Amino acid sequence: MNYKLKTVGAETLLSTPMSKTMFIVDGLIPQGVNVLSGASKIGKSWLMLWLGLQVSQGLPVWGMKTQQCDVLYLSLEDTHRRIKDRLYNLTDRHFAVMCGLIGGGLEEEIIDFLNEHTDTKLVIIDTLQKVRDSKGSAGKAGMYGNDYDDISSIKRIADEHNIAIILVHHL
């Protein structure tokens, strides 16, 4: 077995052309995985719905430019009726109130959606707990290990598709 580290020199790294990091909201939400955490019932879902609408219309968020794109919002603690009511209050975005779990179909569902809707650059998963296996998994190193494994699975999708994913999580 080869245990040698694969390294890259600083000069090589600096001279290698790389694309610039894409921001959905300038200086605030980059491509990759982002986590929004807070106590229950403080408005995280309202904020994510508003953010998704702003981005999908190319409107600024708190004075910061957005990259207009399609948005997939997995609003997993809501019903279609509740989302509709909220949309009226906020006055061709994509909403879902059910999906698979991490390791149980979610990744494939998101990838299939991204392949069908190629202008999608932002996915909001509200909440992380709703897409996790509530029974946990044997062999993981406690709560941190569970978080790390689950978020890494979602991060792979963001990295491979050059998109931003926001995970909403309760404290």
Side-chain angles (χ1 to χ4, degrees):
M1 195 168 239
N2 184 0
Y3 291 107
K4 188 171 181 175
L5 286 174
K6 294 178 184 177
T7 63
V8 62
E11 225 173 277
T12 301
L13 186 59
L14 289 171
S15 65
T16 302
M18 293 183 189
S19 61
K20 193 174 175 185
T21 299
M22 175 204 50
F23 277 82
I24 296 296
V25 178
D26 280 354
L28 183 65
I29 301 174
Q31 68 190 56
V33 171
N34 304 270
V35 178
L36 172 71
S37 297
S40 294
K41 305 297 177 204
I42 63 166
K44 295 180 300 298
S45 295
W46 276 100
L47 175 62
M48 290 297 96
L49 181 58
W50 174 75
L51 178 92
L53 291 170
Q54 294 297 100
V55 168
S56 69
Q57 297 172 71
L59 299 173
V61 170
W62 302 313
M64 294 174 270
K65 288 183 183 178
T66 60
Q67 177 178 329
Q68 185 174 6
C69 62
D70 283 351
V71 176
L72 171 61
Y73 185 9
L74 302 180
S75 183
L76 305 173
E77 293 185 330
D78 283 324
T79 63
H80 284 125
R81 177 183 303 275
R82 187 167 168 199
I83 295 169
K84 181 178 177 181
D85 291 344
R86 285 183 173 191
L87 285 170
Y88 277 128
N89 287 332
L90 289 174
T91 276
D92 189 46
R93 310 309 158 228
H94 306 281
F95 298 92
V97 294
M98 292 175 52
C99 65
L101 298 176
I102 295 171
L106 174 68
E107 296 89 338
E108 293 80 6
E109 290 171 341
I110 292 173
I111 291 167
D112 286 347
F113 182 89
L114 294 172
N115 289 334
E116 291 176 18
H117 301 89
T118 56
D119 290 336
T120 303
K121 298 291 179 200
L122 175 61
V123 174
I124 300 168
I125 301 175
D126 186 1
T127 66
L128 174 60
Q129 193 58 39
K130 284 287 201 174
V131 296
R132 300 176 88 176
D133 180 359
S134 62
K135 296 176 184 123
S137 218
K140 292 187 180 178
M143 197 175 353
Y144 176 79
N146 287 332
D147 289 346
Y148 192 89
D149 288 349
D150 289 345
I151 293 171
S152 292
S153 183
I154 299 300
K155 183 180 182 313
R156 275 190 292 281
I157 297 170
D159 292 347
E160 289 170 8
H161 292 271
N162 297 313
I163 65 167
I165 298 177
I166 300 175
L167 300 172
V168 179
H169 194 49
H170 292 280
L171 295 179

mmCIF file of all heavy atoms in Angstrom, residues 131-159:
data_model
loop_
_atom_site.group_PDB
_atom_site.id
_atom_site.type_symbol
_atom_site.label_atom_id
_atom_site.label_comp_id
_atom_site.label_asym_id
_atom_site.label_seq_id
_atom_site.Cartn_x
_atom_site.Cartn_y
_atom_site.Cartn_z
ATOM 1 N N VAL A 131 -33.447 15.397 5.690
ATOM 2 C CA VAL A 131 -32.844 14.531 4.673
ATOM 3 C C VAL A 131 -31.838 13.556 5.275
ATOM 4 O O VAL A 131 -31.138 12.856 4.556
ATOM 5 C CB VAL A 131 -32.191 15.340 3.523
ATOM 6 C CG1 VAL A 131 -33.237 16.120 2.765
ATOM 7 C CG2 VAL A 131 -31.080 16.245 4.028
ATOM 8 N N ARG A 132 -31.776 13.507 6.589
ATOM 9 C CA ARG A 132 -30.851 12.611 7.274
ATOM 10 C C ARG A 132 -31.575 11.366 7.754
ATOM 11 O O ARG A 132 -32.757 11.402 8.068
ATOM 12 C CB ARG A 132 -30.229 13.317 8.477
ATOM 13 C CG ARG A 132 -29.455 14.556 8.073
ATOM 14 C CD ARG A 132 -28.937 15.266 9.251
ATOM 15 N NE ARG A 132 -27.636 14.695 9.552
ATOM 16 C CZ ARG A 132 -26.846 15.148 10.504
ATOM 17 N NH1 ARG A 132 -27.213 16.148 11.256
ATOM 18 N NH2 ARG A 132 -25.681 14.595 10.708
ATOM 19 N N ASP A 133 -30.817 10.278 7.854
ATOM 20 C CA ASP A 133 -31.346 9.036 8.404
ATOM 21 C C ASP A 133 -31.438 9.223 9.913
ATOM 22 O O ASP A 133 -30.422 9.334 10.599
ATOM 23 C CB ASP A 133 -30.414 7.876 8.048
ATOM 24 C CG ASP A 133 -30.882 6.542 8.591
ATOM 25 O OD1 ASP A 133 -31.927 6.499 9.275
ATOM 26 O OD2 ASP A 133 -30.202 5.539 8.319
ATOM 27 N N SER A 134 -32.649 9.266 10.437
ATOM 28 C CA SER A 134 -32.840 9.554 11.862
ATOM 29 C C SER A 134 -32.286 8.470 12.772
ATOM 30 O O SER A 134 -32.058 8.700 13.948
ATOM 31 C CB SER A 134 -34.328 9.769 12.161
ATOM 32 O OG SER A 134 -35.052 8.590 11.866
ATOM 33 N N LYS A 135 -32.046 7.294 12.224
ATOM 34 C CA LYS A 135 -31.520 6.197 13.039
ATOM 35 C C LYS A 135 -30.011 6.289 13.198
ATOM 36 O O LYS A 135 -29.418 5.571 13.975
ATOM 37 C CB LYS A 135 -31.895 4.855 12.408
ATOM 38 C CG LYS A 135 -33.386 4.628 12.391
ATOM 39 C CD LYS A 135 -33.711 3.331 11.681
ATOM 40 C CE LYS A 135 -35.215 3.191 11.598
ATOM 41 N NZ LYS A 135 -35.713 3.049 10.267
ATOM 42 N N GLY A 136 -29.366 7.141 12.412
ATOM 43 C CA GLY A 136 -27.918 7.227 12.471
ATOM 44 C C GLY A 136 -27.294 6.050 11.760
ATOM 45 O O GLY A 136 -27.977 5.236 11.163
ATOM 46 N N SER A 137 -26.003 5.959 11.847
ATOM 47 C CA SER A 137 -25.305 4.895 11.139
ATOM 48 C C SER A 137 -24.219 4.326 12.025
ATOM 49 O O SER A 137 -23.487 5.064 12.670
ATOM 50 C CB SER A 137 -24.683 5.493 9.881
ATOM 51 O OG SER A 137 -24.765 4.620 8.817
ATOM 52 N N ALA A 138 -24.122 3.035 12.051
ATOM 53 C CA ALA A 138 -23.070 2.388 12.849
ATOM 54 C C ALA A 138 -21.711 2.721 12.259
ATOM 55 O O ALA A 138 -21.555 2.846 11.058
ATOM 56 C CB ALA A 138 -23.293 0.882 12.853
ATOM 57 N N GLY A 139 -20.749 2.884 13.109
ATOM 58 C CA GLY A 139 -19.387 3.120 12.644
ATOM 59 C C GLY A 139 -19.017 4.578 12.493
ATOM 60 O O GLY A 139 -17.874 4.908 12.266
ATOM 61 N N LYS A 140 -19.957 5.473 12.599
ATOM 62 C CA LYS A 140 -19.625 6.893 12.520
ATOM 63 C C LYS A 140 -19.154 7.361 13.890
ATOM 64 O O LYS A 140 -19.562 6.840 14.919
ATOM 65 C CB LYS A 140 -20.829 7.713 12.063
ATOM 66 C CG LYS A 140 -21.198 7.435 10.614
ATOM 67 C CD LYS A 140 -22.285 8.389 10.169
ATOM 68 C CE LYS A 140 -22.658 8.118 8.735
ATOM 69 N NZ LYS A 140 -23.728 8.973 8.278
ATOM 70 N N ALA A 141 -18.341 8.383 13.877
ATOM 71 C CA ALA A 141 -17.738 8.879 15.117
ATOM 72 C C ALA A 141 -18.630 9.918 15.779
ATOM 73 O O ALA A 141 -18.293 11.085 15.838
ATOM 74 C CB ALA A 141 -16.356 9.443 14.834
ATOM 75 N N GLY A 142 -19.781 9.520 16.257
ATOM 76 C CA GLY A 142 -20.659 10.421 16.987
ATOM 77 C C GLY A 142 -21.319 11.463 16.106
ATOM 78 O O GLY A 142 -21.381 11.352 14.886
ATOM 79 N N MET A 143 -21.832 12.511 16.768
ATOM 80 C CA MET A 143 -22.574 13.554 16.083
ATOM 81 C C MET A 143 -21.720 14.268 15.032
ATOM 82 O O MET A 143 -22.180 14.521 13.921
ATOM 83 C CB MET A 143 -23.108 14.571 17.103
ATOM 84 C CG MET A 143 -24.207 15.422 16.524
ATOM 85 S SD MET A 143 -25.035 16.587 17.642
ATOM 86 C CE MET A 143 -24.421 16.250 19.245
ATOM 87 N N TYR A 144 -20.488 14.595 15.370
ATOM 88 C CA TYR A 144 -19.603 15.269 14.413
ATOM 89 C C TYR A 144 -19.375 14.394 13.187
ATOM 90 O O TYR A 144 -19.431 14.872 12.055
ATOM 91 C CB TYR A 144 -18.263 15.622 15.066
ATOM 92 C CG TYR A 144 -17.291 16.228 14.085
ATOM 93 C CD1 TYR A 144 -17.393 17.572 13.717
ATOM 94 C CD2 TYR A 144 -16.288 15.467 13.491
ATOM 95 C CE1 TYR A 144 -16.522 18.137 12.803
ATOM 96 C CE2 TYR A 144 -15.408 16.019 12.581
ATOM 97 C CZ TYR A 144 -15.528 17.352 12.246
ATOM 98 O OH TYR A 144 -14.661 17.910 11.336
ATOM 99 N N GLY A 145 -19.146 13.110 13.388
ATOM 100 C CA GLY A 145 -18.942 12.189 12.267
ATOM 101 C C GLY A 145 -20.160 12.104 11.375
ATOM 102 O O GLY A 145 -20.048 12.079 10.151
ATOM 103 N N ASN A 146 -21.352 12.072 11.986
ATOM 104 C CA ASN A 146 -22.590 12.069 11.207
ATOM 105 C C ASN A 146 -22.712 13.342 10.378
ATOM 106 O O ASN A 146 -23.039 13.297 9.195
ATOM 107 C CB ASN A 146 -23.810 11.940 12.121
ATOM 108 C CG ASN A 146 -23.959 10.557 12.700
ATOM 109 O OD1 ASN A 146 -23.539 9.574 12.105
ATOM 110 N ND2 ASN A 146 -24.557 10.483 13.869
ATOM 111 N N ASP A 147 -22.487 14.496 11.021
ATOM 112 C CA ASP A 147 -22.568 15.773 10.310
ATOM 113 C C ASP A 147 -21.574 15.806 9.153
ATOM 114 O O ASP A 147 -21.913 16.192 8.032
ATOM 115 C CB ASP A 147 -22.267 16.946 11.253
ATOM 116 C CG ASP A 147 -23.367 17.190 12.267
ATOM 117 O OD1 ASP A 147 -24.480 16.646 12.093
ATOM 118 O OD2 ASP A 147 -23.110 17.928 13.233
ATOM 119 N N TYR A 148 -20.347 15.395 9.427
ATOM 120 C CA TYR A 148 -19.290 15.443 8.428
ATOM 121 C C TYR A 148 -19.633 14.565 7.223
ATOM 122 O O TYR A 148 -19.527 14.988 6.075
ATOM 123 C CB TYR A 148 -17.959 15.015 9.046
ATOM 124 C CG TYR A 148 -16.775 15.308 8.153
ATOM 125 C CD1 TYR A 148 -16.123 16.533 8.234
ATOM 126 C CD2 TYR A 148 -16.331 14.374 7.220
ATOM 127 C CE1 TYR A 148 -15.048 16.811 7.414
ATOM 128 C CE2 TYR A 148 -15.260 14.652 6.397
ATOM 129 C CZ TYR A 148 -14.625 15.875 6.492
ATOM 130 O OH TYR A 148 -13.564 16.152 5.668
ATOM 131 N N ASP A 149 -20.068 13.345 7.476
ATOM 132 C CA ASP A 149 -20.405 12.430 6.382
ATOM 133 C C ASP A 149 -21.577 12.945 5.558
ATOM 134 O O ASP A 149 -21.542 12.926 4.328
ATOM 135 C CB ASP A 149 -20.741 11.038 6.927
ATOM 136 C CG ASP A 149 -19.517 10.296 7.442
ATOM 137 O OD1 ASP A 149 -18.380 10.756 7.203
ATOM 138 O OD2 ASP A 149 -19.711 9.244 8.079
ATOM 139 N N ASP A 150 -22.622 13.400 6.231
ATOM 140 C CA ASP A 150 -23.806 13.865 5.521
ATOM 141 C C ASP A 150 -23.511 15.121 4.701
ATOM 142 O O ASP A 150 -23.899 15.225 3.534
ATOM 143 C CB ASP A 150 -24.948 14.142 6.504
ATOM 144 C CG ASP A 150 -25.521 12.859 7.106
ATOM 145 O OD1 ASP A 150 -25.246 11.765 6.566
ATOM 146 O OD2 ASP A 150 -26.236 12.960 8.116
ATOM 147 N N ILE A 151 -22.832 16.075 5.290
ATOM 148 C CA ILE A 151 -22.523 17.317 4.576
ATOM 149 C C ILE A 151 -21.534 17.050 3.445
ATOM 150 O O ILE A 151 -21.643 17.644 2.368
ATOM 151 C CB ILE A 151 -22.039 18.403 5.555
ATOM 152 C CG1 ILE A 151 -23.214 18.808 6.473
ATOM 153 C CG2 ILE A 151 -21.495 19.614 4.813
ATOM 154 C CD1 ILE A 151 -22.842 19.713 7.617
ATOM 155 N N SER A 152 -20.595 16.136 3.638
ATOM 156 C CA SER A 152 -19.644 15.793 2.569
ATOM 157 C C SER A 152 -20.363 15.222 1.353
ATOM 158 O O SER A 152 -20.001 15.499 0.208
ATOM 159 C CB SER A 152 -18.610 14.784 3.069
ATOM 160 O OG SER A 152 -17.770 15.381 4.023
ATOM 161 N N SER A 153 -21.387 14.435 1.587
ATOM 162 C CA SER A 153 -22.161 13.858 0.491
ATOM 163 C C SER A 153 -22.838 14.953 -0.334
ATOM 164 O O SER A 153 -22.857 14.908 -1.564
ATOM 165 C CB SER A 153 -23.198 12.890 1.057
ATOM 166 O OG SER A 153 -23.911 12.282 0.026
ATOM 167 N N ILE A 154 -23.365 15.952 0.340
ATOM 168 C CA ILE A 154 -24.007 17.086 -0.347
ATOM 169 C C ILE A 154 -22.951 17.958 -1.020
ATOM 170 O O ILE A 154 -23.141 18.454 -2.132
ATOM 171 C CB ILE A 154 -24.835 17.915 0.664
ATOM 172 C CG1 ILE A 154 -25.940 17.060 1.297
ATOM 173 C CG2 ILE A 154 -25.411 19.158 0.007
ATOM 174 C CD1 ILE A 154 -26.945 16.484 0.341
ATOM 175 N N LYS A 155 -21.808 18.141 -0.364
ATOM 176 C CA LYS A 155 -20.732 18.972 -0.915
ATOM 177 C C LYS A 155 -20.219 18.419 -2.245
ATOM 178 O O LYS A 155 -19.892 19.171 -3.153
ATOM 179 C CB LYS A 155 -19.589 19.089 0.092
ATOM 180 C CG LYS A 155 -18.456 19.996 -0.375
ATOM 181 C CD LYS A 155 -17.359 20.070 0.651
ATOM 182 C CE LYS A 155 -16.229 20.986 0.272
ATOM 183 N NZ LYS A 155 -15.705 20.852 -1.056
ATOM 184 N N ARG A 156 -20.160 17.099 -2.368
ATOM 185 C CA ARG A 156 -19.713 16.498 -3.626
ATOM 186 C C ARG A 156 -20.588 16.958 -4.795
ATOM 187 O O ARG A 156 -20.092 17.249 -5.876
ATOM 188 C CB ARG A 156 -19.720 14.970 -3.530
ATOM 189 C CG ARG A 156 -18.454 14.397 -2.934
ATOM 190 C CD ARG A 156 -18.369 12.881 -3.069
ATOM 191 N NE ARG A 156 -19.356 12.171 -2.248
ATOM 192 C CZ ARG A 156 -19.229 11.954 -0.942
ATOM 193 N NH1 ARG A 156 -18.166 12.394 -0.304
ATOM 194 N NH2 ARG A 156 -20.156 11.295 -0.284
ATOM 195 N N ILE A 157 -21.884 17.027 -4.564
ATOM 196 C CA ILE A 157 -22.801 17.491 -5.618
ATOM 197 C C ILE A 157 -22.496 18.941 -5.972
ATOM 198 O O ILE A 157 -22.401 19.297 -7.152
ATOM 199 C CB ILE A 157 -24.272 17.346 -5.180
ATOM 200 C CG1 ILE A 157 -24.614 15.879 -4.961
ATOM 201 C CG2 ILE A 157 -25.210 17.989 -6.209
ATOM 202 C CD1 ILE A 157 -25.957 15.648 -4.290
ATOM 203 N N ALA A 158 -22.353 19.789 -4.965
ATOM 204 C CA ALA A 158 -22.070 21.210 -5.206
ATOM 205 C C ALA A 158 -20.766 21.368 -5.982
ATOM 206 O O ALA A 158 -20.701 22.128 -6.959
ATOM 207 C CB ALA A 158 -21.996 21.962 -3.879
ATOM 208 N N ASP A 159 -19.733 20.635 -5.582
ATOM 209 C CA ASP A 159 -18.427 20.749 -6.239
ATOM 210 C C ASP A 159 -18.461 20.225 -7.666
ATOM 211 O O ASP A 159 -17.910 20.845 -8.576
ATOM 212 C CB ASP A 159 -17.357 20.004 -5.436
ATOM 213 C CG ASP A 159 -17.056 20.654 -4.101
ATOM 214 O OD1 ASP A 159 -17.481 21.813 -3.878
ATOM 215 O OD2 ASP A 159 -16.418 20.000 -3.261
#
